[in-house]
Amino acid sequence: MTPRFDLIGLVVSDMAASLAFYRRLGLVFPEGSEEQPHVEAQLPGGLRLALDTEETVRSFHAEWQPPSGGGRIGLAFLCDSPADVDASFDELVAVGYPAELKPWDAPWGQRYAVVNDPDGNGVDLFAPLTSQ
């Protein structure tokens, strides 16, 4: 049997703050998730995104420590258009999420920007510059 890729897991320092960020990007988490140690959102295509608190991870891995330095994971959200990249970026930055890379037209044919989630993970926003 071959294992199949099924879930992306993030360890979060503040569940409510992380839920607010990812809900702004359209992910749906169950009502009351802010008080839970582990939550999941179904993603298109069948994958799931799971958020676990630091305390949850330490409950089974007592020596775990959050990484220091830059993020080691990148999540990318496809937007409907280049204008939507700009609008999503502006909305997230306006409510206080750190901008890592302002929207720009990348040489590989995408409008591209990066915002950091509450734990400093880079979250890419992108859309093709031309219709495909």
Side-chain angles (χ1 to χ4, degrees):
M1 180 177 140
T2 303
R4 65 184 171 87
F5 188 49
D6 182 70
L7 181 132
I8 300 163
L10 299 177
V11 180
V12 302
S13 57
D14 182 330
M15 182 65 79
S18 294
L19 287 167
F21 178 85
Y22 288 104
R23 283 176 171 151
R24 284 187 173 276
L25 289 168
L27 298 185
V28 178
F29 292 92
E31 190 70 30
S33 292
E34 291 78 3
E35 304 304 319
Q36 300 301 313
H38 170 92
V39 298
E40 296 181 10
Q42 190 71 43
L43 304 175
L47 285 176
R48 296 170 292 144
L49 177 68
L51 305 179
D52 289 291
T53 63
E54 292 176 355
E55 294 79 19
T56 298
V57 173
R58 285 192 190 103
S59 75
F60 61 84
H61 185 350
E63 302 302 315
W64 181 87
Q65 293 295 317
S68 61
R72 300 210 175 224
I73 186 169
L75 301 175
F77 284 76
L78 174 63
C79 298
D80 289 334
S81 69
D84 287 340
V85 170
D86 293 6
S88 295
F89 177 88
D90 290 344
E91 176 189 337
L92 291 166
V93 171
V95 295
Y97 298 107
E100 185 172 315
L101 185 62
K102 292 181 180 179
W104 66 295
D105 293 342
W108 55 84
Q110 293 175 337
R111 185 73 174 164
Y112 198 87
V114 182
V115 176
N116 288 333
D117 77 1
D119 291 293
N121 296 306
V123 177
D124 303 357
L125 306 168
F126 72 98
L129 288 171
T130 58
S131 59
Q132 299 179 1

